Amino acid sequence: AFLHGELGEDINMEQPEGFFVPGKENLVCRLKKSLYGLKQSPRQWYKRFDSFMLSQKFRRSNYDSCVYLKVVDGSAIYLLL
């Protein structure tokens, strides 16, 4: 899931072990998407999830940001993350 998060800033990393391009051994890689192990990954994933849920007309709970509520035809739908 964390691989779908959009990064909010530029993050560079060393080239992965086994990746080899002759003459470019000292260059770094710029990440386009989040990776497991980045401190930003969980937050970026949650921001994307939250915007999707809000676009689907769910409301976030005032008491717990991991609880979403939507009322459809008089019935409540709760999504607990």
Side-chain angles (χ1 to χ4, degrees):
F2 288 162
L3 300 177
H4 297 287
E6 300 290 333
L7 293 171
E9 67 260 10
D10 289 340
I11 297 180
N12 298 316
M13 65 176 259
E14 292 179 2
Q15 292 182 23
E17 197 172 310
F19 182 80
F20 180 74
V21 176
K24 297 185 179 182
E25 297 85 4
N26 295 324
L27 297 180
V28 295
C29 299
R30 177 170 286 156
L31 298 179
K32 293 182 178 181
K33 298 273 189 173
S34 6
L35 287 177
Y36 290 102
L38 289 178
K39 289 189 272 184
Q40 297 91 334
S41 294
R43 177 71 180 140
Q44 294 306 117
W45 178 85
Y46 176 77
K47 284 172 62 175
R48 185 169 180 181
F49 178 83
D50 183 62
S51 79
F52 174 78
M53 294 305 294
L54 296 177
S55 76
Q56 298 300 307
K57 309 294 188 230
F58 278 81
R59 289 184 300 121
R60 191 173 42 244
S61 168
N62 293 330
Y63 304 103
D64 187 339
S65 61
C66 293
V67 176
Y68 293 86
L69 168 68
K70 182 177 182 179
V71 177
V72 178
D73 297 328
S75 296
I77 300 171
Y78 288 93
L79 185 130
L80 309 173
L81 178 61

